[in-house]
C-alpha cells in the first residue's frame, strides 16, 4: 500500500526497559541496526499494525508491553535513490510512520527473534536512549531523532530521569547491552 505521494504507511516501535534503555536489533545478514518497524496493511489501524509487527519481530505479545505514547501524526523519510524500485507502480519513495513508545512489563526472556517464519533480526541489545539516533542508517536519522525527541518527556516522567542530561545524538555510546538476549555486547 503506497499513498498518493509515494509513501508507504508504516509503524515503528521504541521498546523501553525498566532501566530506561532501548531495544536495538541487527538486521539478519546485515550490518544495520534499527528499531522494530514494518508496513501497515490496508485493513489495520496503526495500533493493530504495531502489535502485529511487535510479535513478528520480537516475539512479544500485548501482555508483555505497555503503550506509553505515540508520535503525533506521520513522520516521513525518503529512501535513497538506489533503494527506489523505479520500475514498480506505484513507486514507493519512502515511508511515513507512526512511532509507538512501549515499556517492557514482562520479562526480557519473552523476547524471541525467531517468532516468525522469516526473522528480521538476529541479535539484540539494550542501548542508551539517544544512541539509536546517531547509529541508524543515515536516511532514517531525522525520523529517529524526531520520534525520540517526542518520547523523551514521557520517558523522563515515567522513570523520573532527565534525558537532557544524557548524551544527545552524536555523543551517545552503546554502553553495555545484550546480544541475542543472552550474551553481553
Amino acid at each position: 500500500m503506497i499513498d498518493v505521494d509515494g509513501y508507504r504507511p508504516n509503524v515503528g516501535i521504541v521498546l523501553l526497559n525498566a532501566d530506561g534503555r532501548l531495544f536495538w536489533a541487527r538486521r539478519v545478514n546485515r550490518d544495520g541496526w534499527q528499531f522494530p518497524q514494518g508496513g501497515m496493511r490496508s485493513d489495520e489501524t496503526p495500533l493493530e499494525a504495531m502489535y502485529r509487527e511487535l510479535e513478528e519481530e520480537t516475539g512479544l505479545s500485548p501482555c508483555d508491553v505497555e503503550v506509553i505514547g505515540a508520535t503525533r501524526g506521520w513522520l516521513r523519510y525518503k529512501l535513497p535513490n538506489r533503494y527506489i524500485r523505479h520500475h514498480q507502480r506505484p513507486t514507493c519513495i519512502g515511508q511515513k510512520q507512526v512511532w509507538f513508545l512501549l515499556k517492557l512489563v514482562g520479562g526480557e526472556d519473552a523476547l524471541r527473534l525467531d517468532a516468525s517464519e522469516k526473522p528480521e533480526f538476529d541479535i539484540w541489545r539494550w542501548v542508551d536512549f539517544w544512541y539509536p539516533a546517531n547509529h541508524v542508517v543515515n536516511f532514517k536519522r531525522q525520523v529517529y531523532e524526531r520520534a525520540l525527541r517526542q518520547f523523551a518527556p514521557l520517558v523522563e516522567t515515567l522513570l523520573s530521569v532527565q534525558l537532557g542530561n544524557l548524551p544527545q545524538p552524536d555523543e551517545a555510546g552503546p554502553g553495555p547491552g545484550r546480544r541475542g538476549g543472552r550474551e553481553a555486547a
Side-chain angles (χ1 to χ4, degrees):
M1 176 170 77
I2 310 296
D3 74 8
V4 295
D5 296 320
Y7 288 89
R8 177 177 173 241
N10 189 284
V11 294
I13 300 167
V14 177
L15 178 63
L16 178 74
N17 72 9
D19 297 326
R21 295 171 64 81
L22 306 180
F23 176 87
W24 190 236
R26 185 179 72 180
R27 300 285 310 256
V28 170
N29 299 322
R30 297 204 179 128
D31 290 332
W33 291 70
Q34 67 177 52
F35 290 133
Q37 68 176 64
M40 290 177 55
R41 297 176 181 155
S42 60
D43 63 341
E44 288 180 314
T45 65
L47 186 65
E48 292 167 336
M50 181 276 294
Y51 279 126
R52 178 183 49 77
E53 288 293 333
L54 178 72
E55 192 156 355
E56 287 175 6
E57 296 188 9
T58 69
L60 296 174
S61 67
C63 66
D64 294 314
V65 298
E66 177 185 348
V67 177
I68 304 300
T71 54
R72 297 175 295 280
W74 297 103
L75 303 183
R76 290 175 170 77
Y77 69 82
K78 286 188 175 181
L79 293 167
N81 198 41
R82 68 182 178 275
Y83 295 129
I84 297 175
R85 298 178 184 137
H86 295 280
H87 60 282
Q88 289 185 348
R89 297 288 178 247
T91 301
C92 177
I93 64 162
Q95 307 231 23
K96 65 180 187 178
Q97 301 173 309
V98 174
W99 283 86
F100 290 87
L101 175 64
L102 307 179
K103 182 178 180 202
L104 182 66
V105 295
E108 89 180 20
D109 56 331
L111 284 159
R112 287 190 40 241
L113 300 183
D114 61 352
S116 67
E117 289 180 27
K118 190 176 178 187
E120 297 209 22
F121 301 121
D122 59 4
I123 296 173
W124 65 272
R125 64 184 182 199
W126 297 110
V127 297
D128 292 335
F129 187 83
W130 295 109
Y131 180 84
N134 198 40
H135 291 85
V136 71
V137 66
N138 284 338
F139 63 89
K140 293 183 181 180
R141 279 204 179 141
Q142 283 190 326
V143 165
Y144 272 49
E145 287 175 9
R146 290 176 62 201
L148 290 174
R149 287 188 198 292
Q150 285 190 39
F151 292 153
L154 297 172
V155 173
E156 288 176 338
T157 300
L158 182 70
L159 300 177
S160 299
V161 298
Q162 288 294 314
L163 293 176
N165 295 334
L166 293 178
Q168 296 288 314
D170 295 324
E171 301 171 15
R178 296 174 64 84
R179 296 171 50 122
R182 301 290 173 241
E183 301 172 37

